[in-house]
Amino acid sequence: MWVTRHRLRVGAGLLVTGALALSGCDSTAPEAAPSASVSPTPSRTFKPGAAGAGDAYFPTYGNGGYDVGRYTVKVRYDPAKDQLTGTATVQATATADLSAFNLDLAGLTVKTVTVDGAPATHTREKNELVIKPATGLITGNGFVAEIGYEGQPKPLKNEVLGDGGFLHTSDGAIALGQPESASTWFPVNDHPSDKAAYDFEITVPDGVTAVSNGVPGGKTSKDGWTTWKWSEKSPMASYLSTLVIGKFRITTGEHKGRPVYSAVTTKVAKGAADASIAKTVKVADYLESVFGPYPFDAYGGVVVSDSRINYALETQSRPVYSASFFRQGENTEVVAHELAHQWFGDSVALAKWEDIWLNEGFATYAEWLWAEHTKEYTAEQAFDIRYAQVPAQVWRTPPGKPGVKGLFSESVYQRGGMTLHALRVAVGDKGFFEIVKTWAAEQRNGTATTAEFVALAERISGKQLDALFDTWLYGTKKPPTPKPL
């Protein structure tokens, strides 16, 4: 995600945006198949799954006891009434002997619940949907839960991080946000540690478009309503799912055998936004040269214009951008940031929110690499100006342990990017870019931690890097200028 903070001057008269792009147990196994429910036996003890994924920063986010393989979400939304009805099918595998399990669902009214085709009881505890199957679920067995629900979706209020989730707009709706948003429009295990594949069917009135993640599956119309289909088969963290409904200028095409689908709101005149998004595949091709193969089956972007959204978010395969980024002309820097997240943040996702610098530091550094590629300025120049001019608070806030309030702080972005440059200086270009490509390849479609990145960097470089990472990620004072090791 990216939110404008300030601008920093690089060299003589060259301005570099100091904007910040604020921007998951892994589900890479084949989707779970339904299995027959097994009644409890004396040899087994069935217990409810945990009502949280165990994240120290957000203890109530996500849930435990199962691993989702695929979501199939079918929703119908009437913008005139701000009314949503939906059915979510959750294909999962039990990772414990479960008497009950939770899904995250904010607001909305649950009408029906079945597990493996049999009616299940359900209760609500704030934003938790607690489901009790007719019989226990055994560790290692697949199960399918189907939930029918309806209501007027509302965003999730967060005084520290900002609201996220479903927003009703003048011409439709936008479901977007970090660190949580999906639970405002479908029941979900809402933590990046449980990635899954997704199929979406979104039915809206004729005349408006419904855009989501992944490969477009076409549309069908009947009785004044149009159903749009989308499919993301690569594992995706729940907060990276999106739904954008409205009137757009649509651009489609194909690049390297993959569909390209982009949408720019008609609320803004054709111009810089369209031109910037049109460079998506060009930027992606450059990033592929330094990060390795593009990780997903589709390209694209969505531009929205809404005063409540002043950021860009790396929604998987199709980032969403605020129109404000393009008011002063073309802006491929933000495009580079969000596309870099497709590798770092989306394909390689967070196991825990504390390690968010792995997302934002890489995306920030990608901006510098893109500028170096386009000969605007070098990564070294970008580092030097930040090293000299960032606010003192950046040095007091360790990006490797920023705390909840500092999750989207300037330290996470700018000092995160500087950490990577310090690593580049320490190990040299050959070692650095081998580390980056190997990280993307070995962790593809998974989740990862800072400790794993440090271990990889040391393995490839053959150097002891504890002191470097301790200083740049966890220190509370300005580090010395980086030197080759």
Side-chain angles (χ1 to χ4, degrees):
M1 185 188 292
W2 165 310
V3 175
T4 300
R5 295 295 176 87
H6 67 278
R7 298 176 71 84
L8 297 171
R9 183 171 295 275
V10 177
L14 178 61
L15 286 176
V16 178
T17 302
L20 307 183
L22 303 182
S23 51
C25 166
D26 174 29
S27 299
T28 58
E31 65 184 64
S35 65
S37 297
V38 179
S39 299
T41 65
S43 62
R44 292 185 177 275
T45 301
F46 290 79
K47 297 180 179 180
D55 193 305
Y57 280 18
F58 303 104
T60 64
Y61 285 15
N63 304 283
Y66 62 92
D67 182 51
V68 180
R70 178 177 296 274
Y71 295 93
T72 300
V73 180
K74 300 180 180 181
V75 296
R76 177 183 176 116
Y77 182 67
D78 185 347
K81 297 179 181 179
D82 188 17
Q83 187 72 21
L84 181 143
T85 58
T87 302
T89 303
V90 183
Q91 296 174 262
T93 300
T95 58
D97 289 340
L98 296 174
S99 61
F101 62 93
N102 288 23
L103 289 165
D104 301 300
L105 185 65
L108 303 174
T109 300
V110 174
K111 306 298 288 186
T112 60
V113 179
T114 64
V115 176
D116 291 339
T121 60
H122 65 276
T123 56
R124 297 294 293 274
E125 298 174 5
K126 295 183 179 180
N127 292 339
E128 300 280 342
L129 170 62
V130 184
I131 298 173
K132 186 175 182 180
T135 55
L137 304 173
I138 289 181
T139 302
N141 281 4
F143 65 93
V144 177
E146 185 172 288
I147 302 97
Y149 56 100
E150 64 183 19
Q152 289 189 337
K154 303 295 181 186
L156 291 160
K157 300 293 182 182
N158 190 315
E159 293 182 2
V160 175
L161 302 175
D163 299 349
F166 199 99
L167 301 170
H168 181 228
T169 68
S170 60
D171 60 350
I174 303 169
L176 192 68
Q178 185 183 21
E180 58 177 348
S181 60
S183 60
T184 63
W185 62 290
F186 63 95
V188 61
N189 194 11
D190 209 0
H191 189 274
S193 60
D194 192 5
K195 300 170 74 176
Y198 287 76
D199 290 313
F200 295 109
E201 292 187 16
I202 305 157
T203 302
V204 293
D206 290 347
V208 294
T209 303
V211 184
S212 191
N213 307 86
V215 175
K219 60 180 179 177
T220 57
S221 296
K222 183 180 180 180
D223 300 330
W225 295 81
T226 301
T227 299
W228 302 75
K229 295 183 179 182
W230 300 88
S231 179
E232 177 53 89
K233 74 176 185 180
S234 298
M236 178 168 72
S238 53
Y239 80 92
L240 298 172
S241 64
T242 189
L243 169 62
V244 183
I245 300 167
K247 295 182 178 181
F248 297 93
R249 293 187 292 276
I250 305 297
T251 303
T252 62
E254 186 176 288
H255 183 68
K256 295 184 176 180
R258 302 179 179 100
V260 181
Y261 191 104
S262 296
V264 179
T265 177
T266 58
K267 294 178 182 177
V268 299
K270 188 172 183 179
D274 305 77
S276 300
I277 300 305
K279 289 187 170 64
T280 290
V281 296
K282 180 179 181 180
V283 176
D285 282 353
Y286 165 70
L287 295 178
E288 192 172 51
S289 74
V290 290
F291 297 156
Y294 180 75
F296 302 122
D297 291 335
Y299 301 91
V302 182
V303 177
V304 299
S305 182
D306 189 288
S307 62
R308 296 165 293 182
I309 297 174
N310 61 355
Y311 57 87
L313 186 63
E314 61 270 19
T315 44
Q316 192 157 307
S317 75
R318 193 157 289 108
V320 178
Y321 305 86
S322 166
S324 61
F325 287 107
F326 312 107
R327 286 177 183 158
Q328 296 183 12
E330 288 189 36
N331 183 350
T332 54
E333 188 176 24
V334 66
V335 174
H337 186 110
E338 301 310 327
L339 288 179
H341 274 310
Q342 304 308 302
W343 285 264
F344 308 111
D346 294 12
S347 180
V348 185
L350 297 173
K352 51 191 175 75
W353 281 106
E354 179 180 87
D355 290 331
I356 192 171
W357 86 273
L358 286 170
N359 293 6
E360 303 303 346
F362 270 97
T364 298
Y365 200 67
E367 298 171 37
W368 306 356
L369 292 175
W370 171 248
E372 194 166 77
H373 173 69
T374 58
K375 304 187 185 324
E376 294 179 61
Y377 54 87
T378 66
E380 180 68 29
Q381 286 176 307
F383 173 90
D384 287 345
I385 194 63
R386 284 155 178 81
Y387 186 77
Q389 294 187 15
V390 293
Q393 185 60 40
V394 167
W395 305 119
R396 292 194 291 266
T397 303
K401 196 179 285 289
V404 174
K405 291 184 178 180
L407 201 65
F408 300 130
S409 67
E410 196 154 358
S411 175
V412 166
Y413 293 81
Q414 303 303 330
R415 192 167 155 186
M418 285 190 279
T419 297
L420 291 172
H421 192 73
L423 175 64
R424 182 179 176 181
V425 171
V427 305
D429 278 12
K430 183 177 182 297
F432 175 77
F433 287 108
E434 184 181 352
I435 289 168
V436 170
K437 282 188 174 181
T438 304
W439 179 245
E442 291 188 358
Q443 301 290 352
R444 180 171 179 161
N445 289 334
T447 61
T449 65
T450 296
E452 290 172 315
F453 180 71
V454 173
L456 174 76
E458 291 186 333
R459 168 164 62 87
I460 291 177
S461 69
K463 299 178 185 296
Q464 179 61 251
L465 300 171
D466 286 352
L468 183 150
F469 285 109
D470 285 347
T471 299
W472 281 94
L473 291 181
Y474 302 108
T476 55
K477 296 180 180 179
K478 185 175 182 177
T481 303
K483 306 286 185 186
L485 291 179

